[in-house]
């Protein structure tokens, strides 16, 4: 889906956000504000290259959306330390796609739906590297991304808020995986286990 199709689905997407955010009190790190979600979504929709993948049955059951990360983008703003050179080079080559949000209605196959949605977005954009930021307090999401092969490369703190994020990357293709193998030498990299 492109930005105009996504704009037409805003009400359904907000409903999906609320439904997928119906969480236990221990998961209070996630915002439950429908208005806040719509505000962030409208900003994301305006980004060049915005794209969305959706899963439907009788109703909308999941979506993932994101955008390309360009070399002049502020995606890495707030990264703690120096960005690994291989990731910086991939960003400069315009082959990086950010998965900004994945929403899935409570479902027994929710993890599989989420994984397939993010994979579809990355494949459709022929990205060599997927990137995402996950609230470091969101242990279920971090565990899910790591189980899908995402690598933890460090911390990001946005100047606009107190939340600390984990920066995760997903190398796509054998050549990109080889380029990122050097990350294993860094103590702060957490490989899936």
């Amino acid at each position: 889906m492109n930005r105009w199709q996504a704009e037409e689905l805003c009400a359904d997407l907000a409903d999906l956000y609320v439904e997928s955010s119906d969480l236990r009190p221990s998961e209070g790190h996630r915002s439950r504000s429908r208005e806040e979600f719509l505000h962030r979504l409208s900003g994301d929709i305006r980004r060049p290259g915005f794209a969305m993948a959706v899963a439907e049955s009788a109703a909308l059951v999941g979506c993932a959306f994101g955008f390309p990360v360009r070399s002049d983008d502020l995606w890495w703003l707030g990264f703690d330390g120096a960005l690994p050179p291989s990731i910086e080079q991939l960003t400069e080559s315009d082959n990086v796609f950010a998965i900004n949000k994945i929403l899935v209605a409570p479902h027994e196959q929710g993890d599989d739906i989420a994984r397939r949605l993010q994979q579809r977005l990355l494949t459709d954009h022929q990205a060599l590297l997927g990137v995402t930021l996950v609230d470091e307090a969101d242990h279920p999401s971090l565990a899910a991304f790591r189980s899908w092969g995402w690598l933890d490369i460090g911390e990001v703190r946005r100047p606009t808020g107190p939340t600390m994020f984990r920066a995760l990357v997903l190398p796509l293709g054998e050549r990109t995986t080889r380029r990122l193998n050097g990350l294993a030498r860094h103590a702060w990299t957490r490989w899936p286990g």
Side-chain angles (χ1 to χ4, degrees), residues 31-95:
S31 171
R32 295 187 178 128
S33 168
R34 179 186 177 97
E35 293 75 29
E36 184 180 321
F37 169 76
L38 286 171
H39 176 72
R40 286 191 321 264
L41 176 63
S42 69
D44 286 345
I45 286 174
R46 290 187 197 103
R47 291 188 69 123
F50 172 87
M52 178 181 290
V54 298
E56 298 176 295
S57 60
L60 186 64
V61 295
C63 77
F65 57 87
F67 41 82
V69 176
R70 308 282 187 228
S71 58
D72 60 350
D73 202 306
L74 297 176
W75 176 262
W76 298 112
L77 179 68
F79 186 81
D80 185 26
L83 191 62
S86 54
I87 293 177
E88 192 171 346
Q89 291 167 358
L90 284 166
T91 302
E92 289 172 3
S93 71
D94 291 334
N95 289 309

Side-chain angles (χ1 to χ4, degrees), residues 8 11 26 48 51 53-54 60 76 101 123-124 138 145 152 165 179:
E8 291 175 11
S26 65
V54 298
L60 186 64
W76 298 112
K101 194 72 164 171
T123 301
D124 286 355
D138 187 353
F145 276 102
D152 188 330
F165 296 96
R179 284 178 82 178

Side-chain angles (χ1 to χ4, degrees), residues 19-192:
E19 183 181 1
S20 67
S21 297
D22 187 22
L23 306 169
R24 298 178 299 279
S26 65
E27 295 175 309
H29 59 272
R30 294 187 188 178
S31 171
R32 295 187 178 128
S33 168
R34 179 186 177 97
E35 293 75 29
E36 184 180 321
F37 169 76
L38 286 171
H39 176 72
R40 286 191 321 264
L41 176 63
S42 69
D44 286 345
I45 286 174
R46 290 187 197 103
R47 291 188 69 123
F50 172 87
M52 178 181 290
V54 298
E56 298 176 295
S57 60
L60 186 64
V61 295
C63 77
F65 57 87
F67 41 82
V69 176
R70 308 282 187 228
S71 58
D72 60 350
D73 202 306
L74 297 176
W75 176 262
W76 298 112
L77 179 68
F79 186 81
D80 185 26
L83 191 62
S86 54
I87 293 177
E88 192 171 346
Q89 291 167 358
L90 284 166
T91 302
E92 289 172 3
S93 71
D94 291 334
N95 289 309
V96 176
F97 192 85
I99 301 291
N100 208 35
K101 194 72 164 171
I102 299 175
L103 302 171
V104 177
H107 190 274
E108 65 184 44
Q109 295 177 339
D111 256 11
D112 188 49
I113 292 169
R115 182 190 54 77
R116 290 187 314 188
L117 285 168
Q118 59 96 24
Q119 193 61 44
R120 176 69 186 262
L121 268 181
L122 295 171
T123 301
D124 286 355
H125 285 86
Q126 300 175 348
L128 296 178
L129 184 71
V131 297
T132 194
L133 298 176
V134 179
D135 183 330
E136 70 178 2
D138 187 353
H139 300 289
S141 293
L142 284 170
F145 276 102
R146 289 174 180 149
S147 74
W148 301 335
W150 290 74
L151 310 174
D152 188 330
I153 62 162
E155 296 178 336
V156 173
R157 183 182 302 273
R158 295 289 194 223
T160 57
T163 303
M164 182 67 77
F165 296 96
R166 298 306 309 172
L168 305 177
V169 298
L170 179 66
L172 301 163
E174 185 178 319
R175 185 171 170 218
T176 304
T177 302
R178 280 194 312 250
R179 284 178 82 178
L180 296 179
N181 273 340
L183 292 177
R185 292 189 310 255
H186 299 287
W188 40 260
T189 303
R190 295 186 187 148
W191 297 90

